Amino acid sequence: MIRYIARRSVQMFVLFIIFLTLTFLLLTALPGDTVKQRFATNPNIPPEAAQLAIERLGLDKPLWEQYTSYMWNFFRGDFGFSFLQYPRPVSDIILERLPRTLVLFLTVLVSYYILGFVAGKFIAWRRGRRGEHAITIGSVFLYTVFYPWFALMLIWFFAFYADVVPINKFLDPEEWVDAPFSSNHVFMVIFGVMLVGGIVALTLWILSRRVRDPALRKRTVWVGYGALAVVMLWFWYLSDFGSARRLYAGDILHHMILPVITITLISFAGIMLLTRSSMLETMREDFILTARAKGLAEKTVRDRHAARTALLPVTTSLVIAVATVIDGGIITETVYSWPGMGELLFTSVVGQDTNLAIAAFSFVGVMAMVGHLVVDILYMFLDPRIRVTGE
């Protein structure tokens, strides 16, 4: 096991070097040179100052020298300065945008994966009934609808006509006048609460699966989740730390409602259909027939035997989706004016801000490779038939 992880880590490092090199070459090969034009053609900057700025940015050096210098600085944790937001360091810009994307898209991810898996499990078990056709047709329609149009329709109805949610942005400026905390600080608090709550909820669910008695298992789950809800309420309403930030966290969560609903409706059908096809394939296996022959209850056969095996492709999709959630979504962040990593990637590539674009892409690449390694390890625990060796 350790040899396998070590071997995969070396492979991923080599792959990351190739990925970083190709990203650098592709971005520097883009036609035009916006950075030089900003300095060389700006009439307010003397030619001598423009030339000095270009030399300081290293843009007058040969490509191979720019590449080696960038790679050396990159692996020392120095991502350079943003060309478009000079003299802000790239790391500062990414740290500013990253919490906004993580909070929004991790919430979305959890929502549509839970909804998609539960719906897929039930329609596969009730195959051929009218409910299956209605759910499948409705979800496929949402899955194939033109996303920007659908998002704009929801904005028009819920934000403009019904006026129950904000139209766009991630906060209300009037609420944040004289705020003692920055928005990024509140985002990090929300992210921390979500992370701790998610880990505790997942641990409770895993532990409950070990309880054989169904009634006792259900009581254990409800008591555990109830205690978790009480702790959350205590944190936000009774603790000094949480109550001081509750108003601002509520404002951010209020702005998240419409993007979360929109993406969940669009995306849950993919997970539902993946779960359905995996469940139907699993239900034809001999061990399902054996479980029924033993006289196990249908709910037990469905949840403890069929659904567990059907979880394999869904887990693969989930881990890879978590790994790529860092890049956010360009369309979502554009439609809802949500200043996150997706918008940052788009503006940095269009503006040929090479340092910023490479750093943003590198985060996505690292998370994607780590996600694939996590999938390989999870497979061993989800399916005992899979064994990994260091060979």
Side-chain angles (χ1 to χ4, degrees):
M1 178 69 180
I2 295 176
R3 289 180 59 191
Y4 173 76
I5 295 176
R7 184 164 59 89
R8 287 298 307 271
S9 300
V10 173
Q11 291 174 349
M12 287 193 300
F13 180 75
V14 174
L15 184 61
F16 180 68
I17 296 292
I18 297 173
F19 168 78
L20 204 57
T21 302
L22 290 177
T23 305
F24 179 86
L25 294 176
L26 286 173
L27 289 174
T28 52
L30 289 175
D33 196 332
T34 306
V35 179
K36 286 185 179 179
Q37 289 177 3
R38 285 171 63 88
F39 290 101
T41 61
N42 190 341
N44 297 320
I45 300 178
E48 297 79 10
Q51 183 61 33
L52 181 61
I54 291 174
E55 291 175 358
R56 283 183 175 178
L57 292 172
L59 299 176
D60 60 330
K61 297 178 181 177
L63 182 61
W64 67 268
E65 194 172 344
Q66 291 183 38
Y67 169 73
T68 54
S69 176
Y70 183 84
M71 296 293 279
W72 172 252
N73 291 326
F74 183 89
F75 285 104
R76 291 191 306 162
D78 181 7
F79 302 139
F81 295 95
S82 167
F83 295 156
L84 298 179
Q85 302 182 43
Y86 189 82
R88 290 192 68 188
V90 168
S91 55
D92 281 1
I93 299 173
I94 290 179
L95 288 176
E96 178 188 76
R97 298 295 189 95
L98 192 56
R100 303 169 188 170
T101 293
L102 287 177
V103 170
L104 175 62
F105 284 92
L106 284 180
T107 305
V108 168
L109 201 65
V110 172
S111 301
Y112 77 74
Y113 263 86
I114 291 177
L115 182 61
F117 181 72
V118 173
K121 185 175 68 173
F122 278 96
I123 65 172
W125 203 253
R126 297 172 181 271
R127 186 184 183 191
R129 301 185 184 182
R130 282 183 293 182
E132 182 207 4
H133 299 307
I135 295 175
T136 303
I137 292 173
S139 58
V140 170
F141 168 76
L142 292 172
Y143 191 61
T144 55
V145 73
F146 186 54
Y147 177 35
W149 173 82
F150 184 68
L152 291 174
M153 289 299 101
L154 291 183
I155 291 174
W156 172 80
F157 183 78
F158 290 105
F160 180 74
Y161 182 75
D163 194 22
V164 293
V165 290
I167 292 179
N168 56 15
K169 299 293 183 184
F170 65 101
L171 53 82
D172 184 356
E174 294 182 359
E175 297 283 348
W176 290 76
V177 175
D178 300 328
F181 314 104
S182 67
S183 60
N184 267 26
H185 170 78
V186 179
F187 267 109
M188 290 306 297
V189 173
I190 297 173
F191 178 69
V193 171
M194 289 172 54
L195 186 63
V196 173
I199 292 174
V200 173
L202 182 62
T203 305
L204 285 172
W205 181 79
I206 292 173
L207 292 177
S208 70
R209 309 304 296 175
R210 298 180 179 276
V211 179
R212 294 288 182 182
D213 185 1
L216 179 60
R217 182 170 63 244
K218 185 177 293 186
R219 284 199 298 271
T220 304
V221 171
W222 281 110
V223 169
Y225 287 169
L228 179 61
V230 170
V231 172
M232 290 290 181
L233 290 174
W234 171 85
F235 175 79
W236 287 115
Y237 284 90
L238 298 179
S239 70
D240 294 337
F241 184 88
S243 58
R245 293 157 179 79
R246 189 180 69 245
L247 175 64
Y248 306 105
D251 184 45
I252 290 173
L253 296 176
H254 190 207
H255 283 76
M256 285 174 52
I257 292 175
L258 200 51
V260 169
I261 291 175
T262 305
I263 306 174
T264 300
L265 289 176
I266 292 290
S267 306
F268 93 96
I271 305 304
M272 185 194 73
L273 295 176
L274 179 64
T275 306
R276 176 182 176 274
S277 61
S278 182
M279 280 281 290
L280 291 176
E281 185 177 349
T282 304
M283 287 162 57
R284 290 194 290 266
E285 297 286 342
D286 292 339
F287 68 90
I288 297 295
L289 182 63
T290 304
R292 282 176 167 157
K294 287 181 178 178
L296 296 178
E298 285 294 292
K299 188 173 184 299
T300 303
V301 176
R302 181 192 65 196
D303 294 341
R304 296 184 65 87
H305 294 271
R308 181 178 176 180
T309 306
L311 199 59
L312 284 173
V314 181
T315 303
T316 305
S317 174
L318 173 63
V319 175
I320 294 176
V322 170
T324 56
V325 76
I326 194 173
D327 69 341
I330 294 175
I331 297 176
T332 302
E333 295 186 356
T334 302
V335 171
Y336 290 100
S337 301
W338 191 275
M341 289 294 292
E343 186 192 43
L344 186 69
L345 274 171
F346 178 73
T347 55
S348 60
V349 172
V350 171
Q352 293 186 319
D353 194 343
T354 308
N355 290 344
L356 186 56
I358 294 176
F361 277 121
S362 66
F363 273 90
V364 179
V366 169
M367 293 292 290
M369 285 187 285
V370 173
H372 280 84
L373 179 61
V374 172
V375 168
D376 291 341
I377 297 173
L378 280 177
Y379 264 33
M380 291 186 298
F381 294 98
L382 291 174
D383 192 344
R385 296 171 297 178
I386 299 175
R387 289 289 180 268
V388 176
T389 67
E391 302 299 330

